[in-house]
Amino acid sequence: MATLAERQGGDGAALRLAALVGAIVVYGVAGAPAPASVGPAELAVGLGLLVAVGLRAPLWLGTGYLLRCPGATPAEIVACLCLPLLLWLPLVRGSLMGWQPTDIVRDVVPLGFLFLPLLLRRGLSARRAAGSGAVADLLAAALAAAGLAFAFRWWAHVAFGFAAVGDRTLAEGDLYLLNSAAVPFAAVWLTLQGLRRLFPARGAGAVALGLVLGAAGLLCTGALAGAVHRAALGLVLGTIGLGVALRLRTAPGDWRLVPVAGAGLLAAFGWAALGALSLVAEKTGEVGWNNRAAEAGAVLRQIGRSLPAFLLGDGWGALVASPAVGNWRVSFTHNAASYFLVKTGLLGFVAATGYLAALLAESWPALRRRADIALAALPSLAVALFLHTSYKYLCFGLLCTVLLLAAAKDETPKN
């Protein structure tokens, strides 16, 4: 029989998990990847995250107490060593250079999102409460639901112009909902989950659920095609194809019907697909790779003006004249490496790279233990880190959290 302390620990973890799922749902239904201001939705999401994380995990990480904890993982140890370089030095430097407080806050908050996976794992006590696999499944479904909500809201913004896909590029919208890392994740995860229930089919209920999930995945993929998100669309389609190919090697014979179903979809949406490819080629011919190399050059020129700037960057809140957005002075870059270089310099870049490498190493077993989640995460991770600004978004931290939980064994952690 479980002791009172164990029951209370489980109840607390269940409450935190419910708060996190609620925050993710609110984020997708009413929030935005990069909100211009703090509104009711952002407050609700923040409250849910605070409940989910708790007080102990941030205190242990922020003070370095985790370094003394026997149960600390390698990623947590690296995080304790890297966090001061990523928080305090750029914060002090940005304040001394006189950057706007709002710009400083808009940089510091995403740093918290980056460390969210470690905070949530320890705060949820997921493995003790319900098993890391079950929690990973629940959070993956919640994150996919958020991505689907973003896609649906974008479709509503363009008046559900499904017929326009492949004919013209549809407007992004002021909220840039499709920039969320949750949308490519949802496109892959929902599609593969739908196929898993359709092939082999196990009753009318499974078929109905498979069709619903597949249609939801198609809605997300279609949104990326409609707005001509080239990299995300290509990675999503490639990952779905890879997932199907892997299943064909080991799955029952019914999975051999998947190419037939794919051919049917291609016949139904063939013109739209060809049109979407044409728009991708046209956009590439017009804008190339959106001046990403020129943006990196602007960052190197900015921090190369002096040794302190090179080592420490210009601090949180710093702006850069980015050729990727018409040389406007903005607080972001379209690549995580150049972002940390301009904000935190070489020292911060090394710290951020070390932390992300440790997080990746700890998440790597997810490829073996939960290939469905790992595959679905790949497009979003690649786009976020190398091609876009979504490394700053809440959904990126949540995605890394799902991967970290999917990689863990179902065993009680040492606290």
Side-chain angles (χ1 to χ4, degrees):
M1 181 178 294
T3 66
L4 177 61
E6 289 172 338
R7 290 198 300 270
Q8 289 174 338
D11 291 342
L15 174 62
R16 291 174 178 178
L17 183 59
L20 179 58
V21 171
I24 296 173
V25 172
V26 172
Y27 177 58
V29 171
S37 60
V38 177
E42 287 69 37
L43 290 174
V45 171
L47 178 61
L49 291 177
L50 285 175
V51 174
V53 168
L55 295 178
R56 185 180 65 176
L59 286 174
W60 284 16
L61 181 62
T63 61
Y65 177 75
L66 274 176
L67 294 174
R68 300 183 57 190
C69 179
T73 67
E76 288 173 333
I77 294 172
V78 172
C80 284
L81 298 174
C82 293
L83 183 57
L85 288 174
L86 289 171
L87 176 59
W88 297 113
L89 285 180
L91 184 59
V92 171
R93 182 161 173 80
S95 300
L96 292 176
M97 294 189 71
W99 304 128
Q100 292 294 322
T102 52
D103 289 330
I104 293 176
V105 171
R106 290 181 71 88
D107 283 342
V108 172
V109 170
L111 182 66
F113 296 157
L114 198 63
F115 286 87
L116 198 59
L118 300 182
L119 299 177
L120 284 173
R121 179 177 63 178
R122 189 165 285 271
L124 287 171
S125 298
R127 286 172 285 180
R128 180 173 64 237
S132 60
V135 175
D137 281 332
L138 179 59
L139 293 185
L143 189 60
L148 177 61
F150 281 140
F152 185 85
R153 290 166 60 192
W154 178 84
W155 279 115
H157 166 72
V158 297
F160 299 99
F162 301 119
V165 176
D167 181 56
R168 66 182 187 275
T169 301
L170 297 171
E172 284 278 3
D174 294 336
L175 297 179
Y176 294 95
L177 298 172
L178 299 185
N179 286 356
S180 169
V183 177
F185 175 80
V188 178
W189 190 84
L190 290 168
T191 300
L192 293 181
Q193 291 295 318
L195 290 174
R196 195 180 74 176
R197 285 161 176 79
L198 286 172
F199 305 101
R202 294 185 177 90
V207 170
L209 180 58
L211 290 175
V212 169
L213 291 172
L218 185 60
L219 192 74
C220 296
T221 305
L224 296 174
V228 195
H229 280 224
R230 295 171 293 167
L233 177 62
L235 287 168
V236 162
L237 294 176
T239 305
I240 292 173
L242 176 61
V244 170
L246 292 175
R247 285 294 300 235
L248 284 173
R249 293 180 58 187
T250 58
D254 285 1
W255 262 80
R256 306 195 185 281
L257 296 175
V258 174
V260 177
L265 286 174
L266 190 60
F269 302 105
W271 286 111
L274 289 174
L277 291 176
S278 176
L279 289 175
V280 166
E282 181 180 330
K283 184 175 181 179
T284 302
E286 291 177 354
V287 302
W289 295 106
N290 289 328
N291 287 321
R292 296 298 195 260
E295 182 181 67
V299 166
L300 293 176
R301 286 191 297 272
Q302 181 164 323
I303 65 172
R305 68 184 187 275
S306 67
L307 184 60
F310 180 71
L311 291 177
L312 303 176
D314 285 341
W316 295 131
L319 304 180
V320 59
S322 173
V325 290
N327 289 312
W328 286 7
R329 291 184 62 79
V330 293
S331 63
F332 59 85
T333 69
H334 294 82
N335 179 281
S338 59
Y339 173 79
F340 282 106
L341 278 173
V342 75
K343 305 283 185 172
T344 67
L346 181 62
L347 293 179
F349 169 76
V350 171
T353 302
Y355 165 67
L356 288 172
L359 196 63
L360 175 63
E362 210 157 291
S363 303
W364 194 257
L367 278 173
R368 181 180 71 256
R369 294 174 180 154
R370 292 304 307 273
D372 57 331
I373 292 177
L375 279 177
L378 286 178
S380 295
L381 292 176
V383 170
L385 290 174
F386 301 110
L387 298 170
H388 220 286
T389 60
S390 47
Y391 56 84
K392 293 185 65 175
Y393 299 164
L394 170 60
C395 45
F396 180 76
L398 294 172
L399 182 62
C400 291
T401 302
V402 173
L403 267 179
L404 199 59
L405 292 174
K409 293 180 180 179
D410 288 337
E411 59 186 21
T412 302
K414 298 176 183 179
N415 292 320

